[in-house]
Amino acid sequence: MAKPGVHLPLERASVVAAHGAIKEHIHYTPVVTSRTVNELASTPRPPEALVGTTYEGRNPAHPKIRLFFKCENYQRIGAFKSRGAFHALSRLGREELSKGVVTHSSGNHAQALALAARTHGVKTYIVMPTISTPSKIAATKGYGAEVIFSGSTSQEREAMVEDVIKKTGAILIPPYDHPHIILGQGTMALELEKQVEELVKDDPSLSVRDTSKEYTKNAQPTNGSSENEVLPRHRRRAGQLDAVIAPLGGGGMLAGIATAFQGTGTRVFGAEPSFEGADDGRRGLETNRRITTVKTLTIADGLRTPVGEINWTIISDRSKVHGVFAVTEEQILSAMRLVLERMKVFVEPSAVVGLAVCLYDEGFRRLVEHEGGEEGWDIGIILSGGNTTVEAISKMFAADDKHAERAEAKVGKDGERIAENVAG
C-alpha cells in the first residue's frame, strides 16, 4: 500500500473523491429517527443517577435533542468497514493487487477486506486473534480469505502480518490507521449530511430548529471542546446537523467523519467504553498524548483498540474533534436494549456508545443544554455495525428464571400460568 506520504490529502474534497470511487460497491445505508428515543434523550436524568459523580447535588441537565441514526449495521458485511476496505483497494495498482493483500483484524475489517478483495479477484490473508468470535471467523472465511491465527496483542498480530508479507509479498491494508482507510470511512458522513437535509425538508418536525427564528451564538462550550467553525443557527441550512457522535476505537471512522465535516459548522465528537481503560482516546486528550496500549474486555469488542498515530493527529485537533466521552458497560447495554426493543434495529454493543453518551453522559448533556439553549441540537448518531449473534445478545441480557418467564409472557403479573384465546 502507498506510504503515508503518498495519498490524497486529508480534506473534505478527498472524502468526496473516495465516495465516488466506492459508491458502486457499498450500500447507501438508511438514516432513521425515533420520537421515543428523542423524548428519552430530552428528559432530565433522575437526581440519584448523579450520585457519586461530579454533578451530585446539582440539577440534572435538561437538553432538547433530536437524533438521526446512520445505520451502518445495514452496510455490506454488517458494518462500516466496507467503505475503507473498498477505498484502499481502489488506490492500489494492478501490479500491487496481483501480490494479494493482508491485514490483522478481530472481525469487521477482516470481513470487509475479504469481501473487497473477492470483488476485485485478489488473494487475501487475514491475521485474526484467537479470541475472535466464531461468527466473525466463519464470515471471513466465507468471503474466501485465508485466515491465520495469532495472539491477541497488537504486537503478536503485527508480527504475524510481517511474516505473511515476507513469505507472500502481500500488500498491507491497515485496519484503521491509514489515509485511504480514513477517507473511505468518512464517506458515511457525506451521506448522513445529505440524508438529514432531505428528511428535514420532507418533515421539518424532525428537527429542533425553527428556521424562521434567528438568534446569536451561545457562550463558550464546556468539557474542553472548541467552538471553532460553529455557525450561528440563523446562517445554517435547514436540516444541518449541530453535531455527530461516532464510536472511537482505532479512530479511522472518527477521523474520517471529522475530515468530512471540517468547515461545515457541524461539531464531531467521539464515544468510547470506559471499562478497563478502553477510553484511551478520552484519557489521551486529557494528558495531551496518545495512549499506545489498551487491554480491555469491554463488551464493545470493536473498540478494544488504541487510537492510531495518523488518526490521533486529527482526533487531538480540537478544531476537528470537539471532545471524546466515555460510558459504562451498563450504559452501553441500556442503550443497546433501547435500540433493539424500541427502534427494532439489530446492533452490536460498539454501535451504541454514541447514543449512550446522549442519554447518560451528564457532561455532554450539559454541553447540549448550554450551547443549544431552548431550541436544542440535532445530532447524528453513527450505528457502526450489527455483527453480533442472538446467543451473544441472550448472554448479555440474561435474566433469572422468574423475570425471563414474565418477559416471555409465560406467566402473568401475579404469577398465574393460564392463557386461553389471547389475541396477539
Side-chain angles (χ1 to χ4, degrees):
M1 196 168 182
K3 294 181 179 180
V6 185
H7 55 77
L8 294 174
L10 290 171
E11 59 188 28
R12 182 178 170 91
S14 298
V15 180
V16 174
H19 194 251
I22 68 173
K23 62 183 180 181
E24 67 176 300
H25 298 299
I26 60 171
H27 293 325
Y28 191 73
T29 55
V31 170
V32 302
T33 61
S34 169
R35 296 186 186 278
T36 297
V37 178
N38 287 341
E39 290 174 4
L40 291 171
S42 301
T43 301
R45 301 179 69 202
E48 56 267 25
L50 306 185
V51 173
T53 74
T54 57
Y55 303 101
E56 182 176 351
R58 298 166 65 180
N59 290 330
H62 193 178
K64 184 176 180 181
I65 294 173
R66 295 293 179 268
L67 299 172
F68 297 83
F69 296 89
K70 178 65 170 168
C71 296
E72 285 294 288
N73 54 308
Y74 296 133
Q75 187 54 262
R76 296 187 71 180
I77 71 92
F80 73 97
K81 293 279 190 175
S82 296
R83 296 175 181 273
F86 273 106
H87 183 240
L89 290 192
S90 77
R91 297 299 170 186
L92 295 179
R94 185 172 300 178
E95 181 179 347
E96 291 173 306
L97 290 172
S98 69
K99 299 177 181 179
V101 292
V102 62
T103 197
H104 59 87
S105 167
S106 62
N108 286 344
H109 179 65
Q111 295 173 69
L113 183 60
L115 170 63
R118 187 182 71 177
T119 301
H120 289 284
V122 176
K123 173 68 176 178
T124 318
Y125 305 92
I126 306 292
V127 175
M128 301 187 76
T130 54
I131 200 172
S132 301
T133 62
S135 61
K136 291 181 179 180
I137 294 171
T140 302
K141 289 181 177 180
Y143 289 120
E146 181 178 332
V147 174
I148 303 160
F149 293 104
S150 73
S152 297
T153 69
S154 58
Q155 292 84 356
E156 290 171 312
R157 297 194 302 270
E158 290 167 4
M160 186 65 73
V161 166
E162 288 299 320
D163 187 56
V164 172
I165 292 173
K166 288 178 182 178
K167 291 179 179 178
T168 66
I171 305 299
L172 173 63
I173 308 293
Y176 50 84
D177 200 30
H178 192 280
H180 294 165
I181 298 294
I182 296 168
L183 295 173
Q185 315 303 26
T187 59
M188 74 182 77
L190 302 179
E191 295 176 4
L192 172 62
E193 183 179 44
K194 180 179 178 181
Q195 288 168 297
V196 171
E197 287 186 3
E198 292 173 345
L199 285 169
V200 172
K201 182 179 179 180
D202 291 340
D203 184 358
S205 70
L206 294 175
S207 170
V208 298
R209 190 163 298 119
D210 181 350
T211 54
S212 66
K213 296 180 180 180
E214 294 188 359
Y215 59 95
T216 58
K217 189 189 298 185
N218 286 310
Q220 291 284 338
T222 58
N223 201 51
S225 60
S226 167
E227 67 170 26
N228 185 52
E229 297 175 346
V230 178
L231 301 177
R233 294 188 191 180
H234 68 275
R235 290 171 50 199
R236 295 189 179 193
R237 303 182 307 274
Q240 182 177 0
L241 289 166
D242 294 281
V244 172
I245 308 180
L248 173 58
M253 172 171 55
L254 182 59
I257 290 171
T259 300
F261 277 113
Q262 177 74 359
T264 65
T266 296
R267 299 185 186 190
V268 176
F269 297 91
E272 299 176 298
S274 60
F275 185 70
E276 295 180 340
D279 56 338
D280 60 293
R282 184 188 63 81
R283 292 184 291 117
L285 290 177
E286 288 181 346
T287 58
N288 292 313
R289 64 179 180 85
R290 185 175 74 93
I291 294 172
T292 59
T293 302
V294 173
K295 294 183 178 180
T296 175
L297 291 178
T298 172
I299 56 172
D301 62 324
L303 307 179
R304 294 175 180 175
T305 309
V307 177
E309 291 184 39
I310 300 173
N311 298 326
W312 177 252
T313 65
I314 297 172
I315 293 167
S316 61
D317 184 339
R318 295 301 176 91
S319 72
K320 297 176 181 178
V321 175
H322 294 77
V324 174
F325 297 86
V327 287
T328 67
E329 302 291 273
E330 293 76 17
Q331 290 167 343
I332 292 171
L333 284 174
S334 180
M336 186 175 177
R337 180 187 292 275
L338 189 62
V339 173
L340 292 171
E341 294 184 350
R342 302 306 294 267
M343 294 177 61
K344 317 303 181 186
V345 176
F346 193 85
V347 289
E348 60 188 90
S350 302
V352 301
V353 289
L355 173 59
V357 166
C358 281
L359 293 171
Y360 308 119
D361 189 283
E362 190 68 10
F364 180 79
R365 291 170 60 78
R366 287 177 181 272
L367 172 65
V368 176
E369 180 183 40
H370 182 69
E371 293 291 313
E374 293 182 1
E375 195 164 72
W377 270 12
D378 289 333
I379 302 175
I381 299 290
I382 306 298
L383 297 179
S384 54
N387 284 330
T388 187
T389 63
V390 172
E391 290 80 9
I393 292 175
S394 297
K395 187 173 182 180
M396 292 178 203
F397 295 103
D400 58 54
D401 290 343
K402 179 180 178 180
H403 288 91
E405 285 192 328
R406 182 74 183 106
E408 294 166 1
K410 290 184 177 180
V411 298
K413 62 182 179 66
D414 298 319
E416 70 275 14
R417 290 179 175 271
I418 300 173
E420 182 177 351
N421 298 336
V422 180

